[in-house]
Amino acid sequence: MKPRRMLDIAPRLIVFAATLLLLAPTTAVAQEEGPGWKTRSPFRPLNLPAANTLRTGAGRPGPDYWQQKVDYRIDVSLDPTNQLLTGSETIRYTNNSPHALSTLWLKLDANLCNPDSEARVLEVPPLLFGDSVFDFTCSDGTGISLDRVAAGDRELEHEVMGTIARVDLPHPVPPGGRTEIEIDWRMTLPEYGYGRMGRDGTLYQVAQWYPRVAVYDDVSGWNLTPFLGAGEFYQEYGSFQVALTVPDNFVVTATGTIQNPDAVLTDEQQARLARADGSEDAVAVITGSEARSNRDRRASGSKTWRFAAENVRDFAFAMAPDFRWDASSYNGIRIQTFYRPEATLWEEANRMSWVTIQHFSERLYPYPWPHATTVEGPNDGMEYPMLTFVPTETTREGLYWVLTHEFGHEWYPMIVNTNERLHPWMDEGFNTFIDIESVEVYFEGEPYADAISVQPLELWADHSVPGTEQAMALSPDQQHDLFWAAYFKPALMLHTLQYEILGKERFDRAFSEYTHAWAFKHPTPADFFRFMEDASGMDLDWFWRGWVYSTARLDQAIGGVETTDDGVTEIRLESRGDMVMPAELRIEYGDGTSETLKLPVEMWKLGPEYAYRVPAGREVTGAQLDPREVYPDDDRANNAWSR
Ligand SMILES: [Zn+2]
């Protein structure tokens, strides 16, 4: 889902607060330990699930790691007069777990729209999200009605429970075994689909449209957390063969590759696509004037578009009669943009997409699918494999921000497949973090690039409110400020880890290795923590505790400066909050020189006070903590001392 547009970025007000502190008495001050430091030191090990042969203590998939595979063959038709989807599907389920399974659980997320859904019954209030409001009441859809669930000739017992359904299998699927079930269903598409899908006139952005099998994993068994709207999705990988029948005046794009181009595209369009496949610059497959004249074409019948996709965790599609369609190629990947003729800002969107896909491919993991496509439309921003929905937007900056964000989701969670419904910071947060660098690349030399990098720290001041802030480890349904806890606080956390704790090179290498190690798998938070510690060579339990599992606050302070009888000057540093961080200390000397020291976080291991000793013979005239003001320090007034 999208984060707030980031345009209103005021220059950060930098306040130098130089506070004169009284000299402390020259007698040695007992090192007082902060409350609980003796038994609840911030350096105590995190209480993580025990490592095993599936998930190792080094944070990697173990030799016994397994996950299920779910393949779909779907025939579906969309009647735009009645907004009705009618489908039948065959699900082939491969049980790679060591357990026999006698039931399959289905996800029917579109049932959020049903009157008896948890979200409707509880009248879940709209999610306020920056400038946007996400209303999950979804009054005009019908959800998914299951008309028939069967295995061959045999009807299967099943029960729908809100956004999930249980299907009893005729025989348990043994470990290593397979089963196939068939489902016929109907669904009326909502105009506004809870911020994840929808339509605007004749433009459709369709998702959560077919019965999907829930994830069965080694961590939780079946993952059946109900869909309340704020939490997103968790899916198995598999292949899709989808035949989508729509009126023949529509142009369709989807997850997957078109299997029958001769039947659905003109010769001219195919020739233009072939040209685009050899071009880094956008080629118009459907021009603006063609799109405008297509708008007036009436359907004379229907057309079936056939798509196939391998190794994806979901399938979405979009369609309209009047799409403009631009295409280019990056490294053999077709980069596609679909937009209405009025959305003129989108003429740059193909270039933006190209740069985005190249940047993330080089930085994180090579883009693994044959196309990367984004569709302009009513949705505020949403991501599916190979396909993203992005709003029209009114500025280049706004368009790039949402476009790169939705494409960033191709890496997290489409490639690194976490449980978004439980751990939004590993999905939206990782993504917001990588998006910032993507903006810096595209807008290099422009004000937006400079403004974006300090945005998370600026937002900290507004959103990190003591007493109301919630730990980012909580699920989205529990978050009052999802914008902060799931998007920008994790971005600030990773940026701090990258630049202030590990250093860029050490961090980037570990983060890319994590992405490779868990590509097309299901990592948990513990796997990420362990991996980053193992790959970077640094114990980071104290870091994850402060940032992920608590709302700990940082307040570094200079408690006093004193010169002992032997001429040594002690600068007494204090960690007054319950978050610890390394310290950066700038010291000014009487001879006019100065130096900046990086003190590792281990300085706080014996307690929240640390005396930095300046050898005899050097007169200290000033000292300042965090002189670059890169930390979210609660009280900057106590960061500086001068004689
Ligand atoms: Zn998102």
Side-chain angles (χ1 to χ4, degrees):
M1 203 171 73
K2 75 150 209 176
R4 180 167 71 181
R5 296 172 195 120
M6 304 212 305
L7 299 174
D8 50 339
I9 297 170
R12 186 152 58 111
L13 189 63
I14 297 175
V15 180
F16 284 101
T19 306
L20 276 173
L21 298 179
L22 290 173
L23 280 180
T26 50
T27 50
V29 178
Q31 286 261 318
E32 274 213 11
E33 298 216 332
W37 210 281
K38 288 191 177 76
T39 54
R40 294 183 57 76
S41 156
F43 294 97
R44 69 192 187 280
L46 268 185
N47 189 17
L48 299 178
N52 55 41
T53 56
L54 284 79
R55 296 167 191 273
T56 73
R60 286 162 168 82
D64 296 331
Y65 179 83
W66 55 264
Q67 69 191 24
Q68 311 294 64
K69 184 170 191 290
V70 191
D71 303 312
Y72 297 84
R73 282 200 314 274
I74 309 177
D75 283 305
V76 65
S77 61
L78 173 51
D79 165 12
T81 311
N82 300 304
Q83 315 304 342
L84 181 67
L85 270 177
T86 311
S88 64
E89 70 186 23
T90 302
I91 299 173
R92 187 173 63 178
Y93 190 85
T94 306
N95 180 13
N96 293 320
S97 84
H99 320 124
L101 298 175
S102 55
T103 56
L104 289 186
W105 285 88
L106 303 178
K107 294 302 227 13
L108 306 172
D109 289 314
N111 282 2
L112 184 86
C113 296
N114 286 344
D116 61 349
S117 76
E118 286 92 341
R120 300 273 305 268
V121 169
L122 296 175
E123 295 182 50
V124 171
L127 175 70
L128 303 177
F129 192 89
D131 305 335
S132 301
V133 177
F134 292 94
D135 182 353
F136 302 128
T137 53
C138 191
S139 54
D140 66 328
T142 61
I144 294 176
S145 310
L146 302 181
D147 292 332
R148 174 175 165 269
V149 181
D153 295 338
R154 186 163 169 177
E155 299 269 335
L156 300 181
E157 288 287 320
H158 62 277
E159 184 181 358
V160 177
M161 308 166 196
T163 55
I164 58 172
R166 193 199 69 244
V167 176
D168 296 331
L169 295 172
H171 312 286
V173 201
R178 269 188 195 158
T179 192
E180 281 197 359
I181 65 170
E182 293 138 38
I183 302 175
D184 297 340
W185 83 95
R186 278 167 300 137
M187 171 182 171
T188 306
L189 293 171
E191 183 169 1
Y192 171 77
Y194 40 84
R196 320 287 176 191
M197 58 174 289
R199 58 189 155 83
D200 181 14
T202 53
L203 170 57
Y204 289 76
Q205 294 172 320
V206 183
Q208 294 90 44
W209 56 278
Y210 60 96
R212 336 210 273 304
V213 180
V215 173
Y216 182 81
D217 65 20
D218 60 294
V219 179
S220 308
W222 289 106
N223 284 265
L224 301 173
T225 314
F227 184 44
L228 299 180
E232 293 193 314
F233 309 104
Y234 183 35
Q235 305 273 108
E236 303 282 19
Y237 288 105
S239 65
F240 285 79
Q241 292 177 44
V242 177
L244 176 57
T245 302
V246 298
D248 61 5
N249 57 332
F250 277 84
V251 173
V252 181
T253 183
T255 302
T257 307
I258 298 173
Q259 301 298 293
N260 58 339
D262 292 341
V264 293
L265 302 177
T266 65
D267 291 346
E268 180 67 39
Q269 288 164 351
Q270 292 190 63
R272 291 170 180 176
L273 272 175
R275 207 158 68 241
D277 286 344
S279 170
E280 293 188 358
D281 298 317
V283 172
V285 181
I286 298 177
T287 66
S289 58
E290 288 166 350
R292 282 178 202 278
S293 62
N294 286 346
R295 180 171 289 171
D296 303 323
R297 265 182 59 211
R298 298 265 159 237
S300 59
S302 62
K303 248 187 207 176
T304 298
W305 296 66
R306 296 182 184 280
F307 294 92
E310 292 290 329
N311 218 15
V312 290
R313 46 166 260 169
D314 202 353
F315 191 102
F317 64 92
M319 59 182 228
D322 53 349
F323 273 140
R324 288 183 69 171
W325 178 359
D326 291 341
S328 60
S329 176
Y330 161 71
N331 213 12
I333 299 153
R334 191 179 282 174
I335 310 289
Q336 304 185 105
T337 37
F338 289 81
Y339 53 102
R340 291 169 290 191
E342 291 74 20
T344 49
L345 204 57
W346 274 68
E347 288 168 358
E348 191 183 340
N350 201 274
R351 184 70 205 150
M352 292 176 171
S353 303
W354 197 99
V355 171
T356 283
I357 298 298
Q358 179 198 40
H359 173 70
F360 291 145
S361 289
E362 291 178 355
R363 173 81 171 66
L364 302 163
Y365 186 93
Y367 185 85
W369 296 295
H371 75 78
T373 298
T374 188
V375 180
E376 179 266 335
N379 193 284
D380 262 333
M382 190 58 203
E383 67 279 7
Y384 298 98
M386 306 185 216
L387 188 70
T388 63
F389 303 153
V390 170
T392 317
E393 292 292 345
T394 53
T395 65
R396 291 177 67 231
E397 290 84 354
L399 177 57
Y400 190 83
W401 176 255
V402 183
L403 184 147
T404 205
H405 178 83
E406 304 313 337
F407 270 143
H409 279 304
E410 300 299 338
W411 280 264
Y412 314 100
M414 302 304 159
I415 295 172
V416 181
N417 193 347
T418 50
N419 186 341
E420 302 173 81
R421 198 154 296 175
L422 297 184
H423 312 300
W425 63 274
M426 298 182 80
D427 154 47
E428 300 296 357
F430 282 25
N431 187 13
T432 303
F433 166 68
I434 65 171
D435 302 338
I436 289 170
E437 197 179 86
S438 171
V439 169
E440 289 168 345
V441 167
Y442 195 80
F443 288 90
E444 192 185 355
E446 297 183 46
Y448 188 45
D450 297 332
I452 199 95
S453 59
V454 294
Q455 180 83 344
L457 191 59
E458 289 175 346
L459 288 166
W460 164 80
D462 290 340
H463 290 263
S464 178
V465 180
T468 61
E469 189 183 24
Q470 296 171 282
M472 70 168 82
L474 294 178
S475 71
D477 301 324
Q478 298 170 275
Q479 297 282 359
H480 290 279
D481 189 1
L482 194 64
F483 169 74
W484 173 242
Y487 292 72
F488 283 94
K489 186 172 183 182
L492 178 62
M493 171 180 84
L494 293 172
H495 189 269
T496 303
L497 185 63
Q498 180 183 34
Y499 284 100
E500 308 307 328
I501 315 292
L502 295 179
K504 182 162 167 46
E505 204 173 312
R506 196 174 175 188
F507 173 91
D508 285 357
R509 181 181 162 143
F511 197 65
S512 170
E513 284 177 6
Y514 161 80
T515 303
H516 280 75
W518 286 98
F520 300 102
K521 296 187 172 69
H522 301 306
T524 63
D527 298 322
F528 176 67
F529 300 148
R530 286 176 161 139
F531 193 100
M532 291 302 285
E533 297 193 13
D534 188 76
S536 72
M538 185 166 182
D539 169 26
L540 295 167
D541 280 15
W542 56 273
F543 183 81
W544 310 126
R545 170 177 291 107
W547 284 88
V548 179
Y549 290 111
S550 75
T551 55
R553 317 225 26 115
L554 179 72
D555 181 17
Q556 296 185 342
I558 296 182
V561 177
E562 59 198 69
T563 305
T564 60
D565 292 344
D566 53 8
V568 170
T569 302
E570 287 191 353
I571 304 171
R572 203 170 72 242
L573 307 176
E574 297 177 5
S575 183
R576 294 180 181 172
D578 46 1
M579 172 184 278
V580 288
M581 291 291 261
E584 185 165 310
L585 176 65
R586 181 182 158 84
I587 306 174
E588 282 157 20
Y589 297 105
D591 60 7
T593 62
S594 67
E595 64 179 327
T596 301
L597 306 157
K598 294 220 178 214
L599 302 172
V601 72
E602 285 78 8
M603 65 190 288
W604 310 117
K605 277 207 160 177
L606 292 173
E609 287 193 3
Y610 175 83
Y612 182 77
R613 294 161 63 84
V614 179
R618 300 210 74 181
E619 185 204 3
V620 175
T621 56
Q624 189 177 7
L625 280 167
D626 188 20
R628 291 175 296 125
E629 301 199 357
V630 293
Y631 283 148
D633 190 314
D634 257 351
D635 183 3
R636 290 200 182 282
N638 59 28
N639 281 19
W641 172 90
S642 64
R643 188 174 296 285

